[in-house]
Amino acid sequence: MRARLDCVECIVRQARRTAELCTPDPALRLAIVKETMRRLCADPFDRSPAEHSLAAYAAAAELSGVSDPFRESKAEQNATALAMYPRLRARAAGSPDPLRTAAKLAIAGNVVDLGVGLAFDLNEEIAKVLDGVLAVDHFARFEEELAAARTLLFLCDNCGEIVFDRIFIEAMRARFPELRVFAAVKGAPIINDATLEDAAAVGLAEAAEVVSTGCACIGAPRGAIAPRLAELLDSCDLVIAKGQGNFETAGDPPRPMYFLLKAKCPCVAEELGVRFGDVVFMRRPAPEA
Amino acid sequence: MRARLDCVECIVRQARRTAELCTPDPALRLAIVKETMRRLCADPFDRSPAEHSLAAYAAAAELSGVSDPFRESKAEQNATALAMYPRLRARAAGSPDPLRTAAKLAIAGNVVDLGVGLAFDLNEEIAKVLDGVLAVDHFARFEEELAAARTLLFLCDNCGEIVFDRIFIEAMRARFPELRVFAAVKGAPIINDATLEDAAAVGLAEAAEVVSTGCACIGAPRGAIAPRLAELLDSCDLVIAKGQGNFETAGDPPRPMYFLLKAKCPCVAEELGVRFGDVVFMRRPAPEA
């Protein structure tokens, strides 16, 4: 999706919040916000929100020298989710429809904020997603396509969330043992997105062949990703994309893609045709009725 | 008050919203937002939010050629409020404490959005302010000081709201017929602030001596206002300032000032020491206990 005019103010806010994480110095914080605005001014602003918002994170890293301000919070997110892994995995496996439950868990992983939650609240939030309605629910079609697929590319999103993704991938492979799954994580730290290091920390390689996007981008924009990931995007029978960043940068993919996410911003919600805050399991292109 | 880092993203949002009012052309809207950011980048950003936000309105006016995008909505606000004038004035005059009721009406004028309300909702909103609690209530001290005052400067805020201000000024002069009241409106159109034209449209001159700030600023910043207004600020026994803009630009006045407003932004609320959305009748400096 293409960035909208509203995205500018949102990116400036992201710059401010990242600056606040990177430094206590008010002058440096202001300099980071200004540098972000300078970069936005110099840009035709015709790409996805995810791509344009990199201006904020790059400005913060370059001016403050802090290249990974979310490092501690990411480690916490992974640890919190890992602690829940055995119980959640058993819950999916023991449910009447293990694949669907695992799919909804993967969506729950995108919904909950593992950086701030108490265990009690997290469980409640996860239960809400499991018991709740998907605003768009193309799972039945997914199940059919998965049965026919030999290869699947899974575009991961955040730390912590990748533990939930692992459970979903394991459920797919339990059902279809011949399925080959590639799980893509970021090539270098960006916000709280999962990297190879995080994939290793949560044992993602036990469920899938882990690959890197080859860049520190949000999502997987065609112009920036490594050739290997582009190949997988072109050749895998199915692609699952988690979170807003992967949706924003998907473009017009040659293969059917399934987007699993919570619409955390009004612009993405509008683009998806759902309400702000809705959760979806959405196929693009939409399945024929 | 000095602008905070959060104000930057808010000013960018104001630029976007004003651009949307000024032109349907997406490229021109983007140009307005970018020009606003360029001006913010070139500024030390050490003045009040009200002063910095002028960048957005100036960029929109200069690039689009639309110097008064709120013209129609202002006329509507004045007309809506004028239609309520006889009834509201009678309500204040007939209440057990006409001066206090009129003061709360003046605050209600800052709370309600006269550009969008239906008569029914407006009456309900006004009733809510009249029956509601002031988060800071220095009215008793105001009444004492007013009894001793010979001159009062009233810094007006928005169109429509000035009708409510007129009722308050009339109530003060009904109680203290010797009181000389000056009512300041903007020297040229800025957002939906009242100008000399609006003062004339609502008959403000029947209640007070109308003066101009001499500039198209938000609030009344010392560095920008006409010498005549600066003189009044220095010489009047009391000053009443309506709305956030007048609060933000007040600086450290030599005379006691009373701020009548709703805290419509979290930064102003924090500066006032109240919660977002609270309404206040606040003396600065605070009265001795």
Side-chain angles (χ1 to χ4, degrees), chain B residues 154-242:
Chain B
F154 196 106
L155 300 175
C156 296
D157 187 11
N158 299 325
C159 288
E161 181 178 349
I162 49 172
V163 172
F164 295 71
D165 297 336
R166 178 179 165 184
I167 294 171
F168 183 29
I169 295 169
E170 286 168 338
M172 288 191 271
R173 300 197 53 229
R175 176 90 166 270
F176 304 104
E178 300 300 309
L179 183 72
R180 192 169 171 192
V181 180
F182 302 89
V185 292
K186 303 304 183 285
I190 183 72
I191 329 179
N192 67 334
D193 283 33
T195 62
L196 289 173
E197 194 184 330
D198 301 301
V202 308
L204 191 60
E206 292 173 40
E209 296 171 50
V210 178
V211 296
S212 156
T213 61
C215 61
C217 291
I218 301 163
R222 276 278 167 172
I225 53 175
R228 170 73 176 132
L229 185 64
E231 262 174 49
L232 289 170
L233 273 166
D234 290 338
S235 65
C236 283
D237 295 324
L238 279 178
V239 179
I240 290 177
K242 294 288 306 286

Side-chain angles (χ1 to χ4, degrees), chain A:
Chain A
M1 72 179 271
R2 194 173 158 145
R4 298 174 10 163
L5 198 52
D6 329 32
C7 299
V8 179
E9 64 217 43
C10 181
I11 294 168
V12 175
R13 183 171 59 240
Q14 291 175 58
R16 193 250 308 161
R17 289 187 177 164
T18 310
E20 287 168 352
L21 272 179
C22 289
T23 172
D25 175 5
L28 185 51
R29 288 176 173 182
L30 177 60
I32 289 168
V33 170
K34 284 186 173 184
E35 179 57 24
T36 301
M37 293 197 290
R38 266 184 217 108
R39 290 174 189 214
L40 293 175
C41 286
D43 194 293
F45 210 69
D46 54 5
R47 291 169 296 147
S48 67
E51 286 162 275
H52 290 298
S53 67
L54 287 179
Y57 301 101
E62 289 170 31
L63 269 64
S64 74
V66 180
S67 61
D68 191 7
F70 296 87
R71 169 177 283 274
E72 282 176 32
S73 128
K74 290 191 294 184
E76 189 189 333
Q77 288 160 26
N78 287 334
T80 303
L82 262 184
M84 308 174 88
Y85 170 75
R87 197 178 46 73
L88 292 177
R89 191 185 181 194
R91 172 158 186 181
S95 79
D97 188 343
L99 189 61
R100 185 173 166 88
T101 303
K104 289 188 91 173
L105 270 179
I107 296 175
N110 187 251
V111 171
V112 301
D113 187 346
L114 291 152
V116 296
L118 296 168
F120 178 79
D121 298 324
L122 278 179
N123 286 328
E124 204 169 293
E125 276 188 86
I126 292 165
K128 240 186 251 171
V129 179
L130 290 180
D131 301 338
V133 170
L134 299 169
V136 177
D137 186 351
H138 295 153
F139 179 78
R141 176 63 186 272
F142 169 75
E143 216 174 359
E144 288 168 21
E145 290 191 299
L146 188 64
R150 290 162 309 156
T151 52
L152 181 141
L153 173 62
F154 197 107
L155 300 175
C156 297
D157 187 14
N158 299 325
C159 288
E161 181 178 350
I162 50 173
V163 172
F164 294 70
D165 297 336
R166 180 180 164 184
I167 294 172
F168 182 28
I169 295 169
E170 285 168 339
M172 288 191 270
R173 300 198 54 229
R175 176 93 166 267
F176 304 105
E178 301 299 308
L179 184 71
R180 192 167 172 197
V181 179
F182 302 89
V185 294
K186 303 305 185 285
I190 182 73
I191 329 182
N192 68 331
D193 282 33
T195 62
L196 289 171
E197 194 185 328
D198 302 301
V202 307
L204 191 60
E206 291 174 41
E209 296 171 51
V210 177
V211 297
S212 158
T213 61
C215 60
C217 291
I218 300 163
R222 276 279 166 168
I225 54 175
R228 172 72 176 132
L229 186 64
E231 262 172 50
L232 289 170
L233 273 167
D234 290 338
S235 65
C236 283
D237 296 323
L238 279 178
V239 180
I240 290 176
K242 295 288 306 285
Q244 294 193 155
N246 283 314
F247 171 72
E248 292 171 21
T249 57
D252 290 311
R255 305 269 160 182
M257 280 182 84
Y258 284 89
F259 297 98
L260 280 62
L261 58 91
K262 173 175 175 168
K264 295 174 183 173
C265 110
C267 301
V268 166
E270 207 175 297
E271 193 80 12
L272 288 164
V274 301
R275 285 168 311 177
F276 176 64
D278 275 350
V279 289
V280 304
F281 190 115
M282 178 187 280
R283 187 186 198 271
R284 285 268 170 111
E288 316 78 51

